[in-house]
Amino acid sequence: MGSEGRGGRRRAEGERPRRPEGGQRRRPPEDDPRGREGGRRGAPEGQRRRPPADGERPRRRPEDAEHGARAEGQRRRRPPEDASRPGGRRRPDGPRDPREREHGARSEGGRRRAAAGGGGRGGSGGGRRRRGGEDEPDDRPWWKRFFAKAWKPALAAFGLMIIGGVAVFAFLYAQAPDPGDLDAKADAEMSATQIFWETGDVAVTTGEVRRIEVSYDEIPPHVIDGILAAEQHTFFEDPGISITGIGRALFYRGEVGGGSTITQQMARNYYSDLEGYGTIERKIREIFISIKLGQRMEKEEILERYVNTIYFGRQAMGIEMAARQYFDKSVSELDPAEGAYLGIIIQMPSNFENSELGPWTETYLKEERWPYVQRQLAAMYEENPDRGMPKSEADALAIPDTTQWGPSAEGEEEEAEEEGTEEEFDPKPGYVRDAVVTELVERYDLTADKIATQGYRVETSLNPELMDAAYTAFDTLPGHPEDTRKGLTAINPATGEIVAFRGGEDVGVQLNQSLVERTQAGSSYKPYVLATALSQNISLRTLMNGDSPQEFEGLASPVQNADLQDHGAVDLVESTANSYNTPYVQLAVEVTPAAVDQMAVAAGVDEEQTTTSTQGPLIALGTHQVSALDQATGYATFAADGVHRPAHMVTKVTTSDGTEIFPNDQDLIETGTRAMSAEVAADVTFALTQVVTNGGGTNAALPDGRPVAGKTGTSSGAISAWFVGYVPQLSVAVGLSRADANTGLEFEGISNSEVFGGSTSATVWREFMVQAVDIMELEPQNFPPAANVGTDQNFAPTPSPDPSPSEEPSEEPSEEPSEEPSDVPCDPNNIDPNNPNCEGFETPPDCTFPWDCDDETGEPTPPDDCASRPITDPCHTEGEEDNGGWRPGQGQDNNGRVTILGTRDD
């Protein structure tokens, strides 16, 4: 094969091709049959073929496929007759024929495949050996190969980042205001915020903020130490920014407080334009301003500007006005404890405005902030004896008393005398201002100083007439001590809007008795136990042990019913209506106390309230402390078919230029959160209607007979008394307690043992609701019918069998009668003589009378002698849509068979 058709002998392995003498290539004879057509193609005239490079195999003419010289699919086309051989030089004139380029590409590809071992001279051999180092496999680990290729691009990118960072730093630094710009900010005009009633009238403003500037030298060193101990005790040693604090703030996107130095806070106070940016951008700009200020201002100058522009609450801007508003003295007269106190309130001024602190603020001050400042003062002294104070002196510092603040009765009387009028002091505006400011801080993320000075317009859901009614409703109570706390909160279940509340007598000396102050819930906490049981498939007809007393695991003493009586097996409807204690403690054990608290929080009770007592079975009797706001919110969830919406009174906030600001809980308010199924809520409501028609809450029944659901609650020793109830459009909670949490309620003509929620708070609730129905023009509406969720269970003790009768008669009666009472509870408004559960109920009188349906209101009015009977609307024709008729069985007043009006929880 080697000689046939190739025009030469086979060379030995590695042998170089021979040339004729003289260095000329041997040409085939003219008559050689392998000439231009079959042999090697010659180069064009005047051109020589390129000699092979060192180590390169001489080019050979391509062979036909049958000779095996080319791999399959690599057969070369023959050029035209006048084409020169491929081994020669390229034509000097004109482009090569495209077929020649294609041929060359295929030839080159063939050589590559041959080099890779795809074929040898024989067409299938192992090919010739690769040159040294060519296509050798890389045995290095993958990461070494990666870094060998990536380190140069990475180095280039890093360099660009450094250059870009320096450029950005220079730009932002140049954009930061100079210290000279601070004076313009300090003297900027401040505008009070206006707060509006639901009617559109102005309720109150935040008032004029006053500021008196003092120099650094006028502030006593121990006052400076107190402020530094509370805010940044290493201020004189630290740079203008805190790297760790900034990192924490950026990581949590501003959700975690702290991280700002005094320099950063001062920059934030001066430059209001920082508020126009997002959290990250604002923080970055704040950092650059702080760096610039730190380089161009002395520490003492920064601190002086800081204490003169901090808002301390009580409409006081700066340390001098704060000293006068909180301690009625100049800053130069403050002692170390008073200086430390002013340093503490910088973070949350609105929490410390009142002389009587809220429960959370008081705990925070006594257990966290005050000990912290004491430790920092001692640490400052150890680092530098010129600052702070020895540990013994720091530990001896006591929390100082603050002066009364607020629109007191004396101040109002002085203004009235100047105007020549005699107007009675109105405490409502002060409480509205206080509550709205608190809500703006929590829901709109506004700072107290911005609220006081930036002139916001705040619209609320508060109705001025209902606010008046919230105060006058308590006039129905008999005489009582002055320190009696009276809480009332009214909420629209459909929106979560607070329409009215009763704050107190003076915002400067008393906490808000409805929104902030709290007391034991008593049995008004039982509906959350019931809702939990229903959610766990325990039906209303489930039987519990109503005997008293009963011992429960983990409780030191037995649990008693209020009437100290045994009631045998009772279902949950009867247990709720009569507020039996032992069945509900047993039920709390079955569903677990943790699940009960979880349900209460989902319904709207502040989670903090679940920590006010031990989480155990006795929470069913209301050992947790709650506010009227908590209870009105929780019961509003029952009224709203199990959907909870956050309670709020602020409905719209706009800036001075008309830009609207949206709350952080807007989605929750619009859509609500489902706390329980609608069916569970319907069954809870059904049970609570029995409290008003047949149980301890009959004093809450409304005169027009509309459906009312509610629950009484009385703690041991009458420490607190509750009635929380609702109609479909309004949820209202009324709570009574004393300023001293260990002192029971007292009323003229009523002994302490006779004070119950049903005999006191229920009457206040009824008085307020009568006015609310008229003011809000609430049409009577039905509650959803009971859904009867869950399965009937029996947690009552199994009665011991009677040994005397024979077995045969004992089996027959035990099966059928035992199920009847649990399946069909007695309806007191429709007595069934064949129902064993109706035994002892009196048959109601026949209240047949004509109805007048043509009066001005279009509402039927029942005669007085039938107020205790079911009221139906005779004007409602069959098939007509029911949009507000009365629900049967809701008109019973005090004629119910139950004389116990409340429960006391032992």
Side-chain angles (χ1 to χ4, degrees):
M1 279 178 72
S3 60
E4 186 176 343
R6 290 187 180 269
R9 63 179 181 84
R10 180 181 298 185
R11 295 191 303 270
E13 186 69 20
E15 180 183 356
R16 295 178 60 85
R18 295 182 180 179
R19 291 182 181 271
E21 290 183 6
Q24 300 293 326
R25 288 184 181 273
R26 180 170 57 85
R27 292 180 177 273
E30 292 288 47
D31 57 350
D32 193 327
R34 297 173 299 169
R36 292 182 181 270
E37 302 298 331
R40 196 180 333 177
R41 294 176 183 170
E45 185 177 356
Q47 296 184 17
R48 299 183 58 183
R49 291 186 59 184
R50 178 181 61 83
D54 291 344
E56 182 179 354
R57 190 171 181 176
R59 297 184 62 182
R60 303 184 65 84
R61 66 188 176 98
E63 298 297 329
D64 295 335
E66 62 267 28
H67 291 287
R70 294 183 56 83
E72 184 177 353
Q74 297 295 325
R75 185 170 184 173
R76 182 175 303 179
R77 294 181 181 180
R78 290 184 179 274
E81 291 293 333
D82 59 345
S84 57
R85 294 191 183 96
R89 289 195 297 268
R90 186 174 296 176
R91 292 195 196 117
D93 52 344
R96 297 183 59 176
D97 188 276
R99 289 174 299 177
E100 292 181 25
R101 290 198 297 269
E102 181 183 356
H103 158 75
R106 287 198 303 266
S107 177
E108 184 66 17
R111 286 196 300 273
R112 290 195 186 102
R113 282 190 297 274
R121 292 183 59 179
S124 60
R128 65 174 180 268
R129 184 179 305 214
R130 292 189 298 266
R131 295 192 301 270
E134 183 181 5
D135 297 328
E136 288 292 337
D138 195 340
D139 296 332
R140 292 178 300 173
W142 68 269
W143 57 272
K144 285 188 176 181
R145 296 196 304 271
F146 173 78
F147 282 111
K149 297 178 180 180
W151 73 270
K152 290 182 179 179
L155 182 61
F158 183 71
L160 291 175
M161 289 175 60
I162 293 177
I163 296 173
V166 171
V168 171
F169 182 92
F171 174 77
L172 292 176
Y173 185 86
Q175 294 295 314
D178 290 320
D181 300 333
L182 299 179
D183 295 333
K185 167 66 179 180
D187 297 333
E189 183 179 353
M190 294 179 289
S191 178
T193 291
Q194 291 183 305
I195 301 170
F196 293 82
W197 296 115
E198 176 263 342
T199 58
D201 300 321
V202 176
V204 66
T205 69
T206 54
E208 180 186 358
V209 174
R210 291 171 290 175
R211 182 172 73 92
I212 300 176
E213 190 166 346
V214 294
S215 66
Y216 182 83
D217 295 333
E218 294 177 279
I219 307 173
H222 56 259
V223 175
I224 294 293
D225 291 341
I227 293 174
L228 295 182
E231 289 296 299
Q232 185 187 0
H233 80 280
T234 56
F235 167 74
F236 284 99
E237 291 77 28
D238 290 346
I241 60 174
S242 169
I243 301 300
T244 57
I246 291 170
R248 182 169 61 252
L250 293 177
F251 181 80
Y252 291 102
R253 301 188 64 82
E255 297 297 329
V256 176
S260 293
T261 64
I262 285 178
T263 305
Q264 289 175 255
Q265 293 182 57
M266 191 266 286
R268 195 162 55 237
N269 292 337
Y270 269 103
Y271 300 111
S272 59
D273 61 330
L274 289 174
E275 299 300 326
Y277 300 92
T279 301
I280 303 300
E281 291 179 89
R282 184 172 67 248
K283 203 71 178 177
I284 292 174
R285 289 179 177 270
E286 177 187 304
I287 291 169
F288 281 95
I289 293 174
S290 302
I291 292 174
K292 196 168 190 177
L293 295 179
Q295 290 180 340
R296 300 193 179 186
M297 295 176 66
E298 297 295 333
K299 290 285 188 178
E300 291 78 6
E301 187 179 2
I302 292 175
L303 196 57
E304 176 185 313
R305 292 182 181 271
Y306 174 71
V307 298
N308 278 307
T309 54
I310 285 291
Y311 182 70
F312 288 86
R314 295 193 176 188
Q315 299 172 326
M317 182 72 77
I319 189 75
E320 174 63 25
M321 280 306 305
R324 298 186 184 190
Q325 292 288 69
Y326 284 92
F327 301 109
D328 196 22
K329 59 179 70 172
S330 175
V331 65
S332 60
E333 302 171 337
L334 295 178
D335 61 34
E338 292 166 341
Y341 188 90
L342 291 181
I344 285 175
I345 68 178
I346 288 175
Q347 290 186 5
M348 293 181 293
S350 58
N351 287 48
F352 292 87
E353 285 186 332
N354 299 332
S355 55
E356 183 181 1
L357 302 180
W360 182 89
T361 306
E362 187 172 5
T363 301
Y364 173 73
L365 173 64
K366 293 180 178 179
E367 298 182 5
E368 294 186 33
R369 290 298 290 168
W370 194 257
Y372 172 81
V373 169
Q374 290 175 313
R375 292 193 300 270
Q376 296 305 309
L377 286 171
M380 292 169 63
Y381 181 81
E382 291 180 3
E383 295 170 3
N384 185 349
D386 293 335
R387 299 195 185 102
M389 59 181 61
K391 187 176 185 303
S392 58
E393 296 181 18
D395 291 342
L397 288 180
I399 299 176
D401 294 327
T402 60
T403 58
Q404 178 180 338
W405 175 80
S408 62
E410 291 77 15
E412 292 285 338
E413 290 174 358
E414 290 176 3
E415 292 180 6
E417 289 176 2
E418 292 177 0
E419 297 174 0
T421 60
E422 293 183 2
E423 295 183 1
E424 186 177 351
F425 168 66
D426 185 3
K428 294 190 292 295
Y431 283 102
V432 170
R433 173 196 172 277
D434 197 50
V436 167
V437 169
T438 299
E439 189 170 319
L440 290 175
V441 172
E442 294 177 353
R443 294 184 57 234
Y444 289 83
D445 300 322
L446 298 176
T447 59
D449 61 316
K450 300 296 183 187
I451 298 168
T453 62
Q454 296 303 305
Y456 297 106
R457 175 189 172 91
V458 182
E459 299 177 20
T460 74
S461 56
L462 299 173
N463 184 294
E465 293 184 78
L466 290 177
M467 290 288 290
D468 290 337
Y471 276 79
T472 59
F474 288 87
D475 295 342
T476 61
L477 292 173
H480 48 271
E482 290 185 1
D483 69 339
T484 302
R485 296 293 191 251
K486 307 165 187 175
L488 186 152
T489 304
I491 292 178
N492 182 346
T495 61
E497 293 175 355
I498 301 171
V499 297
F501 67 90
R502 184 191 182 279
E505 300 300 332
D506 191 338
V507 70
V509 295
Q510 290 181 352
L511 285 176
N512 191 312
Q513 297 172 13
S514 299
L515 308 182
V516 177
E517 196 155 351
R518 58 196 184 190
T519 187
Q520 285 187 333
S523 290
S524 67
Y525 207 78
K526 286 177 180 176
Y528 306 124
V529 184
L530 179 60
T532 307
L534 292 168
S535 298
Q536 294 185 11
N537 205 37
I538 298 175
S539 75
L540 289 175
R541 293 179 294 274
T542 293
L543 295 179
M544 311 298 295
N545 184 3
D547 290 342
S548 174
Q550 288 187 44
E551 294 185 357
F552 294 91
E553 185 177 355
L555 299 183
S557 58
V559 175
Q560 297 270 9
N561 288 328
D563 57 3
L564 307 179
Q565 300 296 314
D566 292 335
H567 298 285
V570 291
D571 63 20
L572 294 181
V573 175
E574 182 180 354
S575 299
T576 304
N578 299 315
S579 200
Y580 295 148
N581 291 338
T582 54
Y584 262 94
V585 173
Q586 182 183 4
L587 188 62
V589 172
E590 297 295 335
V591 301
T592 74
V596 173
D597 278 348
Q598 185 177 1
M599 175 63 72
V601 171
V605 175
D606 192 326
E607 188 172 6
E608 182 190 350
Q609 319 300 35
T610 62
T611 65
T612 55
S613 71
T614 302
Q615 189 181 75
L618 289 182
I619 65 172
L621 307 184
T623 55
H624 290 334
Q625 295 180 1
V626 294
S627 67
L629 173 63
D630 291 316
Q631 294 298 74
T633 307
Y635 280 53
T637 301
F638 299 140
D641 299 328
V643 176
H644 164 64
R645 286 177 173 82
H648 63 286
M649 66 185 71
V650 177
T651 57
K652 186 177 181 180
V653 179
T654 53
T655 62
S656 58
D657 62 1
T659 303
E660 184 173 359
I661 303 175
F662 296 97
N664 52 34
D665 59 354
Q666 184 175 3
D667 293 341
L668 293 178
I669 290 175
E670 291 178 353
T671 62
T673 305
R674 181 157 293 284
M676 66 198 74
S677 69
E679 294 75 16
V680 168
D683 280 0
V684 171
T685 297
F686 173 77
L688 296 183
T689 60
Q690 306 308 302
V691 175
V692 180
T693 57
N694 309 311
T698 55
N699 282 331
L702 297 178
D704 62 3
R706 69 179 62 213
V708 172
K711 184 69 187 75
T712 58
T714 315
S715 59
S716 300
I719 297 298
S720 61
W722 289 88
F723 185 82
V724 189
Y726 53 94
V727 295
Q729 309 99 315
L730 192 64
S731 172
V732 181
V734 177
L736 297 170
S737 61
R738 298 285 293 275
D740 182 358
N742 298 316
T743 304
L745 293 166
E746 299 177 6
F747 297 96
E748 291 181 3
I750 304 177
S751 65
N752 179 269
S753 61
E754 295 175 334
V755 173
F756 295 98
S759 61
T760 56
S761 300
T763 62
V764 176
W765 187 94
R766 182 183 184 275
E767 179 64 24
F768 175 82
M769 283 298 300
V770 168
Q771 297 185 57
V773 165
D774 181 52
I775 294 170
M776 301 179 71
E777 299 180 353
L778 301 180
E779 295 292 333
Q781 290 184 10
N782 288 325
F783 290 117
N788 297 316
V789 299
T791 58
D792 302 346
Q793 303 183 41
N794 190 345
F795 296 101
T798 304
S800 302
D802 188 355
S804 56
S806 62
E807 292 186 4
E808 202 164 304
S810 65
E811 286 183 8
E812 184 111 5
S814 64
E815 298 256 342
E816 219 162 313
S818 64
E819 291 186 6
E820 183 87 16
S822 62
D823 288 340
V824 186
C826 181
D827 183 355
N829 298 304
N830 186 20
I831 304 299
D832 181 3
N834 297 322
N835 187 348
N837 285 338
C838 290
E839 183 178 353
F841 281 79
E842 296 182 4
T843 302
D846 184 12
C847 281
T848 304
F849 46 83
W851 293 90
D852 182 8
C853 298
D854 297 324
D855 60 352
E856 293 181 358
T857 62
E859 298 178 359
T861 304
D864 294 338
D865 57 346
C866 288
S868 63
R869 296 306 311 138
I871 297 175
T872 57
D873 185 359
C875 304
H876 177 73
T877 59
E878 187 175 353
E880 182 181 2
E881 185 179 358
D882 188 355
N883 289 323
W886 283 264
R887 182 180 179 180
Q890 303 303 313
Q892 186 169 337
D893 59 6
N894 295 331
N895 297 325
R897 67 185 178 91
V898 181
T899 58
I900 300 297
L901 299 181
T903 57
R904 290 172 182 251
D905 309 325
D906 297 325

